[in-house]
C-alpha cells in the first residue's frame, strides 16, 4: 500500500497504513475492554446477590423451623409455608432493589461513563434490572421454601 501511494504521489507521507478492520479494532479496543470488565463485575455482583439471598433465606427458614412445625400442627398446608417464605423473599429483595435504585439514581453520572448508548436513568434499564433482581431473589428463596414445606413436625416441636 505504501509503495502504491509513493508511485502515485511521492510527496504524500504514508505511515501507519493498515487494513480498515485493524484500524477499527484498535480504535474500539479500550471501549471493548471496559465493556468486558463491566460485564465481569456485573456477573460477579449477580452471583453474589444470588448467594447472599440464598444464605439469608436459608438462615431465616432454619431459625423458624419450630414456628413452621407449629403452623403445620394447627392446620397450615406445606404450600402455605412455601408461599410465605417466597413472599418474605420478595419483600426483602424489594427493599434491596429500592435501595439499589436510589444509589443508581444518585451515582448515575459516574456510571454513564462506562455504559455506551444506554442512559443510566432509563426506565427500561431500571425496570429490567429490577425484574432480574426479583427473579434472582425468588430463585434463591425456592430451596428454602422447599425446606420449610418439608419441616418434620415431630422434630420441630419439643
Amino acid at each position: 500500500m505504501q509503495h502504491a501511494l509513493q508511485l502515485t504521489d511521492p510527496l504524500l507521507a504514508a505511515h501507519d497504513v493498515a487494513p480498515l478492520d485493524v484500524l477499527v479494532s484498535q480504535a474500539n479496543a479500550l471501549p471493548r475492554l471496559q465493556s468486558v470488565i463491566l460485564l465481569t463485575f456485573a456477573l460477579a455482583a449477580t452471583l453474589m446477590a444470588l448467594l447472599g439471598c440464598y444464605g439469608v433465606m436459608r438462615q431465616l427458614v432454619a431459625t423458624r423451623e419450630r414456628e413452621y412445625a407449629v403452623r403445620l400442627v394447627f392446620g397450615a398446608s406445606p404450600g402455605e409455608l412455601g408461599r410465605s417464605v417466597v413472599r418474605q423473599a420478595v419483600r426483602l429483595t424489594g427493599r434491596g432493589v429500592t435501595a439499589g435504585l436510589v444509589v443508581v439514581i444518585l451515582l448515575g453520572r459516574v456510571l454513564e461513563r462506562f455504559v455506551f448508548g444506554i442512559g443510566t436513568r432509563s426506565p427500561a434499564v431500571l425496570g429490567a434490572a429490577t425484574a432480574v433482581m426479583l427473579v434472582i431473589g425468588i430463585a434463591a428463596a425456592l430451596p428454602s421454601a422447599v425446606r420449610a414445606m418439608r419441616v418434620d413436625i415431630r422434630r420441630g416441636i419439643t
Side-chain angles (χ1 to χ4, degrees), residues 57-76:
M57 293 311 299
R58 182 170 171 87
Q59 179 65 28
L60 286 174
V61 168
T63 58
R64 295 177 67 184
E65 280 187 357
R66 280 186 166 194
E67 174 194 339
Y68 294 143
V70 170
R71 288 171 66 181
L72 284 172
V73 166
F74 285 113

Side-chain angles (χ1 to χ4, degrees), residues 44 53-54 63 67 103 116 122 138 140 145 148:
C53 289
Y54 171 76
T63 58
E67 174 194 339
V103 170
F116 305 103
S122 166
I138 292 169

Side-chain angles (χ1 to χ4, degrees), residues 104 108 111-112 115-126:
V104 165
L111 296 173
E112 283 178 353
V115 278
F116 305 103
I118 301 172
T120 55
R121 294 187 179 125
S122 166
V125 171
L126 295 177

Side-chain angles (χ1 to χ4, degrees), residues 120-142:
T120 55
R121 294 187 179 125
S122 166
V125 171
L126 295 177
T130 299
V132 166
M133 291 310 298
L134 285 174
V135 167
I136 286 173
I138 292 169
L142 290 179

Side-chain angles (χ1 to χ4, degrees), residues 13-29:
H15 56 75
D16 292 335
V17 176
L20 184 60
D21 60 337
V22 172
L23 294 175
V24 169
S25 178
Q26 288 173 350
N28 291 331

Side-chain angles (χ1 to χ4, degrees), residues 34-55:
Q34 289 174 336
S35 296
V36 167
I37 290 171
L38 189 63
L39 178 65
T40 303
F41 283 133
L43 290 175
T46 303
L47 180 63
M48 286 191 295
L50 180 69
L51 292 174
C53 289
Y54 171 76

